[in-house]
């Protein structure tokens, strides 16, 4: 049986990005995967560099991955030549993607009001740090994560959740803009705040799900990371039928209370005595959701 052809909801949509670093390029990559024709305007690179995007300096692999299939142009947008190139690109663009502060966009003549007057069918997706007036305030992934309680202790989060969540929201905003234009014939302006992306990702914690007292925060014996004989195991036997299978394996009654200390102790002791290979085999035989790690 042949595989279904990939869905390309943004086929024929032209996107121009001015965004540097991570959220904007990651959003552009998502749009490219959905069929959009993507271009990016970067400042002229310094001597000896292929790009002026900081990501191209501190993580060339990420830059290369995110810009695969993207037409990259270089221009000084404060110079007449750069302004002329920008105008020519905007004339054939459906969505402009930016990550500048609103005041910086206005100085470049790219406020929503100015764009709407010149290009009524053009949409603007603005990635900002925080919504409203706070969009002018500096911030980064770490500060937005801290605002919503997702930074615990002094350890850094394992990935850039706000940036990547914001990238997904920005690609969603591109889709929203095109659905709206199909109805009205006009472009729209959508702001995507990284702080709001962090808040969205933080909802399970706000609801108490991932706190120490929550079922996916450590209080449920079937949903934890345990040591095993030669590594660790991420166990996700959360639903009652999975938990019952786990409890039977550790020689407890299937209807045991997953929050009871003795149940935690029994599960931990049983897992400590099993190797990763043994646990992988048991997971396959018992249809138990777990993943072993070194």
């Amino acid at each position: 049986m042949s595989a279904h052809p990939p869905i390309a909801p943004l086929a024929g949509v032209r996107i121009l990005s001015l965004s540097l670093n991570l959220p904007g390029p990651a959003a552009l990559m998502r749009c490219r995967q959905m069929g959009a024709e993507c271009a990016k305007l970067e400042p002229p690179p310094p001597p000896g560099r292929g790009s002026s995007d900081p990501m191209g300096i501190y993580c060339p692999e990420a830059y290369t991955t995110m810009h695969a299939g993207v037409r990259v142009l270089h221009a000084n947008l404060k110079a007449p030549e750069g302004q002329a190139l920008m105008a020519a690109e905007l004339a054939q663009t459906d969505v402009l993607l930016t990550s500048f502060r609103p005041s910086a966009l206005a100085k470049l003549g790219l406020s929503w009001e100015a764009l709407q007057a010149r290009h009524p069918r053009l949409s603007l997706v603005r990635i900002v740090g925080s919504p409203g007036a706070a969009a002018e305030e500096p911030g980064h992934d770490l500060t937005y994560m801290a605002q919503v309680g997702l930074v615990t202790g002094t350890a850094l989060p394992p990935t850039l959740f706000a940036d990547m969540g914001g990238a997904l929201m920005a690609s969603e905003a591109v889709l929203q803009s095109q659905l709206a234009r199909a109805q009205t014939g006009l472009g729209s302006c959508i702001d995507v705040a990284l702080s709001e992306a962090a808040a969205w990702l933080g909802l399970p914690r706000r609801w108490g799900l991932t706190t120490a007292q929550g079922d996916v925060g450590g209080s449920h014996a079937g949903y934890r990371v345990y040591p095993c004989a030669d590594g660790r195991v991420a166990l996700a036997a959360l639903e009652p039928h999975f938990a019952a299978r786990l409890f039977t394996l550790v020689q407890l009654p299937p209807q045991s209370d997953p929050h009871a200390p003795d149940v935690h102790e029994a599960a931990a002791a049983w897992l400590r005595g099993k190797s990763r290979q043994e646990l992988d085999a048991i997971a396959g035989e018992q249809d138990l959701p777990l993943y072993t790690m070194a």
Side-chain angles (χ1 to χ4, degrees), residues 22-216:
L22 184 60
L28 197 64
M29 178 174 68
R30 291 288 294 179
C31 292
R32 177 78 179 82
Q33 292 168 347
M34 289 188 281
E37 181 180 328
C38 298
K40 182 185 177 187
L41 260 177
E42 295 181 357
R49 299 282 187 182
S51 171
S52 58
D53 190 325
M55 185 63 71
I57 298 172
Y58 56 73
C59 191
E61 179 185 1
Y63 179 89
T64 299
T65 299
M66 290 189 291
H67 292 82
V70 175
R71 181 169 56 94
V72 178
L73 306 170
H74 297 113
N76 179 1
L77 297 184
K78 297 179 181 179
E81 298 83 358
Q83 286 285 316
L85 178 60
M86 167 68 79
E89 289 291 327
L90 286 177
Q92 53 184 352
T93 293
D94 297 298
V95 182
L96 176 63
L97 176 66
T98 71
S99 58
F100 293 129
R101 300 183 197 187
S103 58
L105 282 177
K107 290 177 182 177
L108 293 171
L110 299 175
S111 68
W112 170 236
E113 294 74 19
L115 287 170
Q116 194 174 35
R118 294 195 300 267
H119 309 284
R121 287 177 58 80
L122 174 71
S123 291
L124 174 62
V125 174
R126 300 185 295 202
I127 299 174
V128 296
S130 299
E136 295 291 337
E137 298 173 1
H140 243 304
D141 184 282
L142 183 60
T143 57
Y144 306 132
M145 294 283 287
Q147 288 174 20
V148 296
L150 295 180
V151 177
T152 56
T154 57
L156 292 173
T159 190
L160 301 174
F161 290 104
D163 283 354
M164 296 306 287
L168 289 175
M169 291 176 71
S171 60
E172 178 186 85
V174 170
L175 289 167
Q176 290 172 340
S177 74
Q178 296 311 286
L179 287 171
R181 193 175 77 169
Q183 295 175 346
T184 67
L186 299 174
S188 53
C189 178
I190 303 176
D191 284 348
V192 174
L194 299 180
S195 63
E196 292 184 336
W200 171 259
L201 295 177
L203 283 176
R205 189 165 186 83
R206 184 182 304 175
W207 294 332
L209 288 170
T210 61
T211 60
Q213 295 75 36
D215 271 4
V216 292

